[in-house]
Amino acid sequence: NFRPGFDTKKLPNLDNTEFSFVSANANKLPIKDGVVDLIMDRMGAIWHTINSCLSSEGQPIAEMSESQKNEAREKVKSILEHYLSKLKNEGNIIVDAPDDDRVSTAKLLLATFDKDIDRQLNQIGLEYSFIGEKDNRLLVLHKIPETTDK
């Protein structure tokens, strides 16, 4: 059972807003396709997946081998593709990206995808940008809107 780190009864009442916590396998979210505006993966499935591909706990991400990167890329692409299926046309996936020495999800993603991150993310339907600064910095993966030519 998922327990958020705050009292859900004290959430503000926001008109026209539904906020839900879901705890499930990241590749099998029990959510209908195309209904979610935002997925927050803060040191979640993406972070744990990439870390599981490292040969030892504490292995520096700069020392990831090509085979480790390939394994991590394939697993992360699978998660991202599943997340994309749940997002609305202009939805976003947000991951932690503090600008300090911590090993954040953003740092792991950038190390895994190397200099080819733009092309690889574009191939699965994502673009990215950073927002905020220092401890409040996040990496936003934007779903590339599907165009409907008529």
Side-chain angles (χ1 to χ4, degrees):
N1 257 350
F2 178 80
R3 287 199 157 110
F6 55 87
D7 185 352
T8 56
K9 294 175 188 151
K10 293 182 180 178
L11 285 173
N13 183 14
L14 303 172
D15 293 336
N16 301 317
T17 302
E18 182 181 331
F19 189 79
S20 301
F21 291 100
V22 176
S23 180
N25 179 320
N27 282 311
K28 297 178 184 173
L29 295 177
I31 301 169
K32 291 180 185 177
D33 286 353
V35 299
V36 177
D37 292 303
L38 174 74
I39 294 175
M40 179 76 175
D41 191 312
R42 182 188 173 275
M43 293 185 82
I46 296 169
W47 190 89
H48 286 283
T49 296
I50 296 171
N51 269 315
S52 73
C53 295
L54 298 174
S55 58
S56 64
E57 191 170 322
Q59 175 188 353
I61 56 175
E63 295 176 13
M64 286 179 80
S65 69
E66 278 308 308
S67 64
Q68 288 172 318
K69 288 179 186 180
N70 288 335
E71 179 185 3
R73 263 192 300 267
E74 292 310 308
K75 289 179 176 181
V76 168
K77 282 181 182 180
S78 175
I79 292 169
L80 292 173
E81 287 168 347
H82 184 67
Y83 283 178
L84 275 171
S85 72
K86 303 303 175 187
L87 291 175
K88 290 180 180 176
N89 198 30
E90 294 184 16
N92 295 297
I93 302 163
I94 297 180
V95 301
D96 50 292
D99 192 13
D100 57 23
D101 293 335
R102 287 178 278 180
V103 179
S104 66
T105 304
K107 285 180 184 171
L108 288 172
L109 271 172
L110 293 169
T112 299
F113 286 97
D114 284 328
K115 296 175 180 92
D116 197 29
I117 190 166
D118 290 310
R119 184 187 64 78
Q120 291 189 56
L121 289 178
N122 287 172
Q123 282 180 337
I124 59 175
L126 290 167
E127 297 173 323
Y128 75 96
S129 63
F130 288 94
I131 60 170
E133 56 186 45
K134 300 185 181 174
D135 279 357
N136 296 317
R137 190 172 80 149
L138 299 168
L139 174 69
V140 182
L141 300 164
H142 311 278
K143 184 174 182 178
I144 298 171
E146 297 167 10
T147 57
T148 52
D149 296 331
K150 292 186 181 183

